[in-house]
Amino acid sequence: MTKCAIVTGAARGIGLVTAKQFLAMGWAVALVDRDREELDRAISPLGAQAAAMPYDISDPDQVATMITDTLAAFGRIDALVNNAIPLNRYGSEDEIANVIVFLRSDKASFVTGQVIAADGGFDSTGVGLPALRV
């Protein structure tokens, strides 16, 4: 039986990297994004199905502190946040995709009811993003 996944925000960044990881594992993957032109460019070499879906990246509550092309374009990267991350660096799209793919895999079959902060230790410092907002 083929496993399948639907990945939203898949035209670029974490979504696209996650979709590529699932595809590399032989999964059937539907890539979804509201930017149809970018999505078409992203899926053309992958052979996956795509559908348009709205997602508002301008809403700060829907944006995590991670280096992506989108965050760089919106100027979300600053020294204050970087200094608050114990690993002293931002995560990569691949590192976040690794966690997503793991949680969806059979290797996580006994993981339930957990909050997994793939954030370089940022959450464990107790600072959190609300404390950084002025």
Side-chain angles (χ1 to χ4, degrees), residues 3-80:
K3 294 186 177 189
C4 59
I6 299 172
V7 179
T8 60
R12 63 182 63 79
I14 295 168
L16 180 57
V17 172
T18 301
K20 287 179 178 179
Q21 285 192 19
F22 279 127
L23 288 166
M25 293 170 33
W27 287 43
V29 180
L31 288 82
V32 181
D33 198 286
R34 76 178 202 163
D35 186 341
R36 184 62 186 215
E37 288 181 24
E38 191 64 28
L39 185 60
D40 288 342
R41 279 192 286 278
I43 67 167
S44 62
L46 303 178
Q49 294 180 346
M53 179 178 168
Y55 183 74
D56 186 8
I57 61 169
S58 66
D59 180 347
D61 293 333
Q62 295 183 31
V63 179
T65 303
M66 189 67 43
I67 288 186
T68 65
D69 293 341
T70 302
L71 290 179
F74 282 95
R76 302 291 247 174
I77 300 169
D78 59 46
L80 181 62

Side-chain angles (χ1 to χ4, degrees), residues 44-115:
S44 62
L46 303 178
Q49 294 180 346
M53 179 178 168
Y55 183 74
D56 186 8
I57 61 169
S58 66
D59 180 347
D61 293 333
Q62 295 183 31
V63 179
T65 303
M66 189 67 43
I67 288 186
T68 65
D69 293 341
T70 302
L71 290 179
F74 282 95
R76 302 291 247 174
I77 300 169
D78 59 46
L80 181 62
V81 174
N82 191 45
N83 291 335
I85 298 172
L87 290 183
N88 200 28
R89 67 177 179 82
Y90 288 90
S92 71
E93 295 161 346
D94 238 0
E95 289 171 316
I96 301 308
N98 289 340
V99 175
I100 294 166
V101 170
F102 164 72
L103 288 172
R104 187 57 187 96
S105 76
D106 292 338
K107 292 178 180 179
S109 63
F110 203 62
V111 176
T112 183
Q114 301 300 309
V115 175

